[in-house]
Amino acid sequence: MAERVTLVTLAAELGVSRQTISNVLNAPSRVKEETRVRVVEAIARSGYRPNSAARQLRNRTSMNLGMRLRPAASDGVNGAVLDGFLHGLTEAAQDRGYRLTLFCADTDEQEIHRYEELLSVADLDGFVLTSTNRDDQRTVWLTEHEVPFVTFGRPWNTAGKPVLSQHSWVDVDGRSGVREATEHLLAQGHQQIAFLGWPAGSGVGDDRWMGWVEAMTAAGIPDGWSALRCAGDDSVPAGSTGAAELLGRGATSFICASDSLALGASAYLWQSHHPDAAASVIGFDNTPVAAAVGVSSISQLVRAAAREVIRLMLRQLQEPGGRPEPVLLAPKLELRDLQRFTQ
Amino acid sequence: MAERVTLVTLAAELGVSRQTISNVLNAPSRVKEETRVRVVEAIARSGYRPNSAARQLRNRTSMNLGMRLRPAASDGVNGAVLDGFLHGLTEAAQDRGYRLTLFCADTDEQEIHRYEELLSVADLDGFVLTSTNRDDQRTVWLTEHEVPFVTFGRPWNTAGKPVLSQHSWVDVDGRSGVREATEHLLAQGHQQIAFLGWPAGSGVGDDRWMGWVEAMTAAGIPDGWSALRCAGDDSVPAGSTGAAELLGRGATSFICASDSLALGASAYLWQSHHPDAAASVIGFDNTPVAAAVGVSSISQLVRAAAREVIRLMLRQLQEPGGRPEPVLLAPKLELRDLQRFTQ
DNA sequence: ACAGACTATTTGAACGTTCATATTCTTTAG
DNA sequence: CTAAAGAATATGAACGTTCAAATAGTCTGT
């Protein structure tokens, strides 16, 4: 077994003191250029790496960020979104020298307990929250305890509208994504464009819905289009049911609030021999399934979002009192040709 | 800000020494029952938690396990499997007081570099490996450096057969799963059962294929069934292509090596007006998509697998010299009714 | 040549544990 | 009543780092 290299052993070998090496790493300006170079070379040669436990003990900082891993959504189609986000987050954190620690919790309340535990036991430096509720208690707790955090998702208040943020967040502008998708269908000549969403009241769902309303209004589509809207739960069957109904009301194309809905709609339309309508379905989240089946979808660009989250987190860690920053990313419309398996 | 509770402050408050409290936690037998109770109560009352950085520094042990997060598979449908595994792993680790640290790597070689780094910097206690290659270099390195690890997936040697394991692993018995699924179709009266898989040579793929061969042989199906096999890449379109070809050769039902293939097969059969054949497709992995669409599938029970991985890991951590243990779990056939969207 | 002002480097202490050893207290036997 | 043995608890040192303060080294201007 190779001997462990520490500040002390390396210092002895070089004939300098611990602190000099420490300074080379943490405050290079304090050290003469010549020694600095000599030390840097020695570090590279010896493979020395500062021990994080010792640093953590001394600095109360662990270079570790925490994130709750949520159980796969009931439906599961959309679970893949957080999967991509997690990957991007790990990567971005790693690039900056941070590590990611996962934990589980069944409820938000339990999540807060885990914060407390992880802070005192493992000195986590901050947390990333993934799905923000209305009047989220977690953000209240974290703010009160002055723990750095960034949310992926806007804070929505009781009225279901985004509130002026007390904290940094990153989100994807669903409204503009849906608007753009609607405009795309309009440009293709569609007029009877339906919106397949969720019951009014959810911040995210209403936001996406508004994108459709805006585009349709702006296009000056004659009256009646606002009835081309259907709300149900977030599932494949709900997509089929909704599509059936909207088709009956004359819809020729469909914007859906999720890929689950889009998948159901597309399958129904195809099977009921409306191939053109089936090809004019646009989903949301750009899940792998939509890609595999060839359904167009609005992509959240989760990798970019993850990178932004880490950027905001580091800003907070560097200047604790800083002003919170909101980041709203534009999603990207992924257009595809529906797979037609019959020749 | 609440004052931090440490061994010293708590000891002072109680009028005992640091070490006594430490013993209550780590070696209760050394301490008089009466004091033990008194200390335990004080710990609960004060909310004291041992600081893990200090423990880590002293013990060279971090209660932290590492796992590489792999980029979502090209296809993505099957990515959900590792997602469920990750969740189960986090949960099981957490229940035993361990935490999970994620990291990224592009290649196996890079992964080994990360092991080295994480071991010296963060004193990780062990690693969980997810996809084992043939003659996996990572397991070689970890064994040589006496680092505890468990793989999810059998070690396959160059011949593509499972080797006598030098290390602990957990895997799902794909062969028996496929055999069971085939037997299920046989019991339903099917004889022309096709197998839609990958090119020969992959350990996992060949193993699943063998399950079909075994069941068909055992059932004494008349000659000719062995031609009802198709191999392609792991994608939805490949499933459709394969199904089309096999249908031409007389297949009435289909066992697939993955849900991607099953999805493609099912969609093709449905669209080409073979609803009965479409309803007799069985996939592998029981992904959320298969569930959503109503395709039957063989489930890997990843949560149970994750729990086993943690159990084996803890065994290794407790007795470092112990004999490696292989665990082969039986998968579970999930039968579903295909969603029929047309009335 | 020397005080004064920097610059560069070193030393002691501390972060919160646990191991090894030392001390104190309790019991038992002679 | 005391010595010895054993049980219970306490103390010093160490893990590897960084902060704060101390020391050594270099330069400037007179």
Side-chain angles (χ1 to χ4, degrees):
Chain A
M1 269 291 129
E3 270 306 304
R4 174 173 280 247
V5 187
T6 74
L7 275 189
V8 178
T9 65
L10 189 60
E13 197 181 300
L14 266 173
V16 300
S17 73
R18 302 178 310 238
Q19 189 63 34
T20 299
I21 306 187
S22 175
N23 284 337
V24 167
L25 293 168
N26 303 311
S29 67
R30 267 187 235 162
V31 100
K32 212 200 317 185
E33 178 60 14
E34 185 193 318
T35 16
R36 198 190 64 78
V37 172
R38 206 158 57 92
V39 169
V40 165
E41 277 167 5
I43 287 176
R45 183 163 14 89
S46 66
Y48 166 74
R49 297 178 206 282
N51 179 281
S52 79
R55 279 194 157 162
Q56 187 174 332
L57 183 58
R58 185 67 242 237
N59 298 341
R60 303 223 151 303
T61 208
S62 63
M63 299 297 278
N64 240 299
L65 305 175
M67 185 174 114
R68 169 177 170 192
L69 197 60
R70 296 180 165 266
S74 54
D75 182 296
V77 175
N78 296 315
V81 176
L82 284 183
D83 200 31
F85 179 72
L86 179 60
H87 200 277
L89 206 63
T90 308
E91 206 166 53
Q94 184 172 300
D95 287 348
R96 315 287 211 111
Y98 280 79
R99 286 182 301 278
L100 202 63
T101 293
L102 296 180
F103 62 94
C104 293
D106 293 331
T107 65
D108 281 8
E109 202 177 305
Q110 213 179 359
E111 184 171 352
I112 293 176
H113 275 111
R114 295 285 297 161
Y115 291 160
E116 202 174 357
E117 186 185 334
L118 287 166
L119 287 169
S120 77
V121 168
D123 294 315
L124 289 204
D125 293 348
F127 291 92
V128 174
L129 313 203
T130 47
S131 314
T132 41
N133 316 325
R134 299 192 169 178
D135 305 310
D136 205 303
Q137 287 308 300
R138 302 170 300 166
T139 61
V140 173
W141 191 93
L142 290 167
T143 307
E144 270 174 8
H145 290 75
E146 299 183 356
V147 179
F149 70 98
V150 179
T151 67
F152 178 38
R154 269 162 281 188
W156 308 92
N157 70 4
T158 323
K161 310 213 158 174
V163 295
L164 204 62
S165 62
Q166 306 300 324
H167 63 261
S168 290
W169 53 260
V170 175
D171 205 352
V172 173
D173 191 350
R175 181 193 300 218
S176 87
V178 168
R179 192 171 51 224
E180 195 188 320
T182 312
E183 283 160 1
H184 169 80
L185 291 174
L186 285 165
Q188 291 202 319
H190 286 281
Q191 295 234 338
Q192 303 305 89
I193 304 172
F195 183 80
L196 235 165
W198 308 316
S202 83
V204 180
D206 292 356
D207 187 55
R208 294 181 187 175
W209 172 31
M210 285 314 292
W212 171 73
V213 171
E214 282 176 12
M216 295 298 272
T217 308
I221 300 294
D223 250 15
W225 60 263
S226 63
L228 290 178
R229 172 171 176 261
C230 215
D233 60 344
D234 189 27
S235 68
V236 174
S240 299
T241 316
E245 189 176 330
L246 292 166
L247 191 67
R249 297 194 216 143
T252 61
S253 55
F254 303 79
I255 308 270
C256 305
S258 77
D259 275 358
S260 297
L261 292 170
L263 228 63
S266 175
Y268 170 82
L269 294 166
W270 186 263
Q271 290 175 17
S272 59
H273 309 292
H274 293 88
D276 292 335
S280 304
V281 170
I282 298 182
F284 204 110
D285 275 351
N286 194 30
T287 55
V289 199
V293 174
V295 170
S296 297
S297 189
I298 299 166
S299 170
Q300 293 223 36
L301 300 177
V302 280
R303 301 291 273 264
R307 220 176 306 277
E308 284 298 298
V309 166
I310 291 295
R311 188 178 65 75
L312 295 184
M313 177 65 82
L314 294 193
R315 258 191 55 168
Q316 273 187 68
L317 292 174
Q318 272 150 28
E319 43 163 334
R323 131 144 33 85
E325 183 183 342
V327 172
L328 197 56
L329 296 171
K332 185 172 180 306
L333 182 58
E334 290 288 350
L335 294 170
R336 316 200 154 82
D337 284 331
L338 197 64
Q339 302 275 352
R340 308 196 175 198
F341 299 120
T342 43
Q343 341 10 23
Chain B
M1 268 291 127
E3 271 305 303
R4 176 172 280 245
V5 187
T6 73
L7 275 188
V8 179
T9 65
L10 190 59
E13 195 181 302
L14 266 173
V16 300
S17 72
R18 300 178 312 238
Q19 188 63 35
T20 299
I21 306 187
S22 175
N23 284 336
V24 165
L25 293 168
N26 303 311
S29 68
R30 266 188 235 163
V31 98
K32 212 203 312 188
E33 179 59 15
E34 186 194 318
T35 15
R36 197 188 66 78
V37 172
R38 205 158 58 93
V39 170
V40 165
E41 276 166 5
I43 288 175
R45 181 160 19 87
S46 65
Y48 165 73
R49 297 178 205 281
N51 179 283
S52 79
R55 278 194 158 163
Q56 187 174 331
L57 183 58
R58 184 70 243 237
N59 300 340
R60 303 220 152 303
T61 211
S62 63
M63 299 297 277
N64 241 299
L65 305 175
M67 186 174 113
R68 169 177 170 192
L69 196 61
R70 297 180 163 267
S74 54
D75 182 297
V77 176
N78 297 314
V81 177
L82 283 183
D83 201 30
F85 179 71
L86 180 59
H87 201 277
L89 206 63
T90 307
E91 206 166 53
Q94 184 171 301
D95 287 348
R96 315 287 211 113
Y98 279 78
R99 286 181 302 277
L100 202 63
T101 294
L102 296 180
F103 62 94
C104 293
D106 293 329
T107 63
D108 282 7
E109 202 178 303
Q110 212 179 356
E111 184 170 352
I112 292 175
H113 275 112
R114 295 286 298 162
Y115 292 159
E116 203 174 356
E117 187 185 334
L118 286 166
L119 286 169
S120 76
V121 169
D123 294 315
L124 290 203
D125 293 348
F127 291 92
V128 175
L129 313 203
T130 47
S131 313
T132 41
N133 317 324
R134 300 188 169 182
D135 305 311
D136 204 304
Q137 286 308 301
R138 302 171 299 166
T139 62
V140 172
W141 191 93
L142 290 167
T143 307
E144 269 174 7
H145 290 74
E146 299 183 355
V147 179
F149 70 97
V150 179
T151 68
F152 179 39
R154 271 160 280 188
W156 309 91
N157 69 4
T158 322
K161 308 213 163 178
V163 295
L164 204 62
S165 62
Q166 306 299 322
H167 63 262
S168 289
W169 53 260
V170 175
D171 205 352
V172 173
D173 192 350
R175 180 194 300 220
S176 88
V178 168
R179 192 170 52 224
E180 196 188 319
T182 312
E183 283 161 1
H184 168 81
L185 291 175
L186 285 165
Q188 291 202 318
H190 286 282
Q191 295 235 334
Q192 303 305 87
I193 305 172
F195 183 81
L196 235 166
W198 307 317
S202 83
V204 179
D206 291 356
D207 186 55
R208 294 181 187 175
W209 171 30
M210 285 315 292
W212 171 72
V213 171
E214 283 176 15
M216 295 298 272
T217 308
I221 301 294
D223 250 14
W225 59 265
S226 62
L228 290 178
R229 174 173 175 261
C230 215
D233 60 344
D234 189 28
S235 70
V236 174
S240 300
T241 316
E245 189 176 328
L246 293 166
L247 191 67
R249 295 194 217 144
T252 62
S253 57
F254 303 79
I255 307 272
C256 305
S258 79
D259 275 358
S260 297
L261 292 171
L263 227 62
S266 175
Y268 170 82
L269 293 167
W270 185 263
Q271 290 174 16
S272 60
H273 309 293
H274 294 86
D276 292 334
S280 304
V281 171
I282 298 181
F284 204 108
D285 275 349
N286 193 31
T287 56
V289 199
V293 172
V295 170
S296 297
S297 189
I298 299 165
S299 170
Q300 292 223 37
L301 301 176
V302 279
R303 300 293 272 265
R307 219 176 305 279
E308 284 297 299
V309 166
I310 293 295
R311 187 177 65 76
L312 295 183
M313 178 65 83
L314 294 193
R315 258 191 55 167
Q316 273 186 69
L317 293 173
Q318 273 152 26
E319 45 162 332
R323 134 146 26 88
E325 182 183 341
V327 172
L328 197 56
L329 296 171
K332 184 170 180 312
L333 181 58
E334 291 288 348
L335 294 171
R336 313 196 158 84
D337 284 331
L338 197 63
Q339 303 273 353
R340 308 198 174 196
F341 299 118
T342 43
Q343 15 325 49

